């Protein structure tokens, strides 16, 4: 009997309707969904994995960056500058023992989390707020009418899904909903994006000895980089990145390793929007993990007995698409610490460009910059807001604005914006960012 392709799925679709539909459960999507639900709205969150966390968990980025000011004074204690939803999340993680205190990272500090505690904390936040969550749901299409985004179609193991919301929030990280809706997007620096990385964890490390020899800074010193470059050139290892970041985690005798630089076999930067590139990145990333594991065991204090116990569920993605918004965060905004009357989030994080053998850091010292509301409002199209790293920003500016604490702040703001749009029956583009800023300050954001 001749066999052919089954041309359609005849199972009846799941039909869902809500006030606010959030696509993506990373830091920004989680904050947006919980914030909107706390305003009494019916909120649905769709997530392709079986857990929340996005790049922080699936990509194992492992740190909550962007909480603290940077300073040239090494004796200056951590100065927190980002507040709001972030505080709630951190407090819940601390109660679980799932996050460290501040860890030195160059001129600033970060905090290292347990990804399992992150998943559990997200589940609790969503349940407490009454958010309806569908895990293992892949969005495949956008529902539009007369230039308005009304919802999405997706696929689940139960069959097709149609979900509609009065406001849709694209928290996919890759501006997937915006792109499917045909809205204007940019990709990196003329199509060139920051390379992905495969982050991993090692158990069995003597963290105390590591710190005694290498110091408290999670960025290891130039002597380590010089050794890596030498061994790589001699062909003893394949170590394309010479700057190593090692972070002690909340677990005993464990370190988080951000050390790989994943490029194509032909030496070019890989683009995670290209399926063949993303596949190559996963395979190459796992190979590099073993090379750096061997190097750490043989050459870095405290790592002789350490071993890889986990890698990211997926390769870590730093950058793909950004929307074209009604405003755009400029490189100069970051470098000059600019503030805006309609700023709805703030950041002290440096421009952090991962290309070449050594990542480049451009610090903003003892200051913050602010991100305007319009960076999350598409230039055209109605009914859609974005949040997370797909905000409207120049290439270098995004290299600062994309990190975790800021994504929590963006989600906090956009959750409130969605609630205002629904309750007052206004288009997101008609919301005044100055009014939104006041709402956020009343909710603990401390922007003033």
């Amino acid at each position: 009997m001749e066999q052919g392709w089954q041309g359609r799925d005849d199972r009846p679709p799941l039909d869902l309707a809500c006030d606010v539909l959030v696509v993506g459960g990373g830091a920004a999507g989680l904050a947006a969904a919980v914030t909107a639900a706390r305003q009494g709205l019916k909120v649905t969150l769709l997530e392709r994995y079986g857990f929340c966390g996005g790049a922080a968990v699936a990509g194992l980025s492992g740190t909550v960056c962007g909480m603290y000011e940077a300073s040239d004074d090494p004796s200056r204690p951590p100065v927190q500058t980002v507040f709001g939803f972030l505080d709630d999340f951190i407090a819940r993680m601390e109660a679980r023992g799932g996050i460290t205190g501040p860890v030195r990272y160059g001129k600033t500090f970060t905090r290292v989390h347990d990804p399992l505690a992150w998943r559990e904390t997200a589940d609790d936040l969503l349940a407490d707020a009454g958010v309806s969550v569908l895990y293992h749901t892949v969005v495949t299409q956008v529902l539009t009418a007369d230039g308005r985004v009304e919802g999405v179609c997706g696929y689940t193991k139960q069959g097709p899904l149609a979900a509609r919301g009065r406001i849709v929030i694209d928290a996919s990280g890759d501006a997937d909903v915006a792109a499917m809706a045909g809205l204007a997007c940019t990709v990196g620096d003329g199509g060139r994006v920051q390379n992905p990385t495969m982050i991993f964890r090692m158990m069995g490390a003597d963290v105390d000895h590591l710190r005694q020899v290498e110091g408290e800074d999670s960025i290891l010193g130039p002597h380590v980089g010089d050794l890596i470059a030498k061994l790589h050139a001699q062909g003893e290892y394949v170590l394309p990145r010479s700057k190593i970041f090692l972070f002690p985690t909340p677990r005993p005798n464990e370190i988080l390793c951000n050390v790989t630089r994943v490029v194509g076999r032909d030496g070019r930067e890989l683009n995670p929007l290209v399926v063949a590139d993303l596949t190559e990145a996963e395979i190459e990333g796992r190979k590099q993990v073993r090379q750096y594991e061997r190097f750490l065991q043989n050459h870095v204090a405290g790592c002789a007995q350490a071993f890889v116990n986990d890698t990211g569920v997926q390769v870590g993605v730093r950058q793909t698409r950004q929307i074209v918004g009604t405003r755009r965060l400029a490189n100069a905004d970051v470098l000059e610490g600019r503030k805006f009357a309609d700023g709805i989030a703030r950041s002290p994080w440096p421009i952090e460009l991962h290309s070449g053998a050594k990542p480049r850091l451009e610090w903003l010292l003892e200051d913050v910059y602010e991100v305007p509301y319009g960076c999350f409002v598409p230039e055209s199209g109605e009914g859609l807001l974005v949040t997370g790293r797909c905000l409207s920003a120049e290439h270098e500016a995004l290299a600062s604005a994309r990190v975790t604490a800021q994504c929590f702040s963006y989600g906090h703001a956009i959750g409130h914006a969605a609630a205002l749009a629904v309750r007052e029956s206004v288009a997101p583009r008609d919301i005044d960012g100055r009014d939104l800023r006041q709402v956020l300050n009343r909710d603990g954001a401390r922007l003033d």
Side-chain angles (χ1 to χ4, degrees), residues 84-103:
F85 183 90
L86 173 68
D87 293 315
D88 189 359
F89 182 84
I90 293 294
R92 290 176 183 242
M93 289 286 282
E94 287 175 336
R96 276 190 164 84
I99 194 164
T100 67
V103 173

Side-chain angles (χ1 to χ4, degrees), residues 97 241 291:
R241 173 172 156 180
Q291 292 286 312

Side-chain angles (χ1 to χ4, degrees), residues 249-265:
T249 81
R251 299 174 175 182
N253 307 315
E254 185 183 67
I255 53 175
L256 179 76
C257 309
N258 184 344
V259 303
T260 67
R261 179 174 179 260
V262 181
V263 296
R265 288 182 293 272

